[in-house]
Amino acid sequence: MLVRNRFLSVDPYMRGRMNSGKSYVPPFEIGKPLQGGAVGEVIESRTREFKPGDAVTSSFGWREYFIASPEELHQVSRGIQPLSVYLGALGMTGMTAWAGLHLVEVRPGETIFISGAAGAVGSVAGQLAKLRGCRVIGSAGSMEKVQFLREECGFDVAFDYKVGPVLEQLNLEAPDGIDVYFDNVGGEALEAALSVLRVHGRIIACGGISGYNDEKPRPGPSNLFNMTTKRLTMKGLMVLDWLDRQAEFEKEVGGYFKAGTVKHKETVVKGIDKAVGAFLGLFQGQNVGKMVVELATH
Ligand SMILES: NC(=O)c1ccc[n+]([C@@H]2O[C@H](COP(=O)([O-])OP(=O)(O)OC[C@H]3O[C@@H](n4cnc5c(N)ncnc54)[C@H](OP(=O)(O)O)[C@@H]3O)[C@@H](O)[C@H]2O)c1
């Protein structure tokens, strides 16, 4: 098939692919096109599985057109618009949020703290945790984002981590502690969460964006011994491990999306020439919800 991409995804994990060395995905190669999530439409097909006009997601990424075979594409419904939702709430980042809550078995009545809460993963994680009957606290980097979390995503509490120490703000908002911490940023937020987690608390180790641009690894949290004294559990999350449950995720969260109980928020940057700026913007907090790049249709 010949596929024309309509939206490209830029994601924090791509930063890791710019370092050499072994990791869970191979590094980008100099002189080769970058890879990443994208959603587009089939223009021409020489297979029975797909026909022109079908909407598909793929992982070829930063390109306007490409040629692929059926097993390299995942068909999605055109009935759901904009198609960019398949890069966000109904795509990889939404599935990360969903998988994270499953990973530590979040239960009704629990208090969960989510860092990076106004981003693609965080904003969906918070909405899903609310639907599971949790009290949800989020941190994000501006008052606009705090307002978005409170007013549009239904967070019980949201605060700006840039106006004061995370630990102080968490102690204020959760004087009795938290049960679960959904970690998207690492660093100061992780250290604060270790302090306020209750006995038998759980941590979803999803991301550590506060350290992705560090040239040298930073020392770990100074209060890691809380793991022992409070018998905490910290589980590493890798969304790729959950692909066999993608249909289950799409059914559940797709249903919430259609019913309007989960909202997809996105920041759209237009033009492939703006993709690098959009990627860099992730590290400056320029996005509310999922950062996507929309490609011209002509
Ligand atoms: N484990 C997995 O399988 C998996 C899958 C997807 C994503 N992830 C991880 O999940 C996290 C969120 O990803 P996403 O796609 O949803 O990105 P995102 O949250 O939509 O975008 C990144 C956000 O990170 C925040 N940020 C940037 N620098 C920061 C810093 N120094 N300290 C605190 N926050 C900072 C910014 O928001 P503020 O304005 O709030 O600072 C920015 O908007 C990332 O760490 C990512 O690597 C993991």
Side-chain angles (χ1 to χ4, degrees):
M1 276 87 53
L2 173 66
V3 179
R4 175 167 64 190
N5 277 335
R6 296 288 311 280
F7 294 94
L8 308 182
S9 183
V10 287
D11 295 275
Y13 78 87
M14 292 170 171
R15 176 63 187 83
R17 299 192 71 179
M18 295 170 192
N19 296 336
S20 58
K22 214 173 162 187
S23 187
Y24 65 97
V25 272
F28 289 136
E29 285 179 59
I30 291 172
K32 297 242 175 91
L34 301 175
Q35 295 154 342
V39 60
E41 61 189 342
V42 175
I43 300 293
E44 199 182 317
S45 173
R46 292 186 195 154
T47 73
R48 256 181 274 142
E49 291 92 330
F50 291 91
K51 58 181 189 316
D54 284 349
V56 290
T57 56
S58 62
S59 54
F60 294 98
W62 304 46
R63 61 203 78 193
E64 292 164 299
Y65 291 88
F66 61 93
I67 288 167
S69 46
E71 61 279 8
E72 294 171 308
L73 301 174
H74 175 66
Q75 184 158 14
V76 293
S77 164
R78 286 199 82 104
I80 292 186
Q81 292 285 336
L83 285 179
S84 49
V85 74
Y86 291 110
L87 303 178
L90 301 186
M92 187 274 281
T93 54
M95 190 153 136
T96 304
W98 179 86
L101 300 184
H102 278 284
L103 186 71
V104 302
E105 293 169 26
V106 169
R107 294 181 285 267
E110 291 190 317
T111 299
I112 179 169
F113 166 50
I114 302 170
S115 58
V121 174
S123 59
V124 175
Q127 294 182 73
L128 293 178
K130 272 313 292 176
L131 287 168
R132 281 160 175 65
C134 297
R135 177 167 187 259
V136 182
I137 303 174
S139 64
S142 70
M143 278 320 287
E144 179 207 352
K145 292 186 181 188
V146 165
Q147 205 173 348
F148 159 67
L149 293 173
R150 288 193 193 136
E151 290 171 13
E152 292 181 51
C153 298
F155 280 53
D156 298 284
V157 174
F159 62 84
D160 179 348
Y161 70 90
K162 291 181 178 164
V163 304
V166 178
L167 181 58
E168 267 176 32
Q169 302 200 65
L170 258 187
N171 273 329
L172 204 67
E173 303 297 356
D176 300 326
I178 60 171
D179 301 290
V180 176
Y181 171 47
F182 198 121
D183 191 14
N184 285 312
V185 308
E188 185 197 350
L190 174 58
E191 197 159 291
L194 282 164
S195 286
V196 302
L197 273 158
R198 295 188 183 126
V199 169
H200 298 305
R202 293 101 75 209
I203 301 172
I204 303 150
C206 174
I209 193 166
S210 72
Y212 291 173
N213 282 320
D214 287 353
E215 287 182 14
K216 280 195 213 140
R218 241 184 281 171
S222 63
N223 57 351
L224 193 63
F225 195 57
N226 276 302
M227 295 292 298
T228 309
T229 55
K230 295 197 267 193
R231 286 82 88 198
L232 304 176
T233 306
M234 183 171 187
K235 285 193 177 175
L237 171 67
M238 190 49 66
V239 66
L240 296 174
D241 296 345
W242 292 72
L243 291 181
D244 59 337
R245 292 182 67 179
Q246 190 168 2
E248 189 190 334
F249 154 74
E250 285 175 354
K251 189 161 176 245
E252 183 185 336
V253 182
Y256 293 143
F257 180 74
K258 280 186 213 147
T261 40
V262 164
K263 293 192 186 78
H264 165 77
K265 176 88 172 179
E266 61 185 13
T267 300
V268 183
V269 170
K270 292 194 175 176
I272 197 162
D273 54 325
K274 301 286 189 309
V276 172
F279 169 70
L280 294 175
L282 292 170
F283 297 87
Q284 291 142 12
Q286 284 173 6
N287 58 309
V288 185
K290 179 78 187 93
M291 182 78 102
V292 293
V293 180
E294 184 173 9
L295 303 184
T297 48
H298 50 269

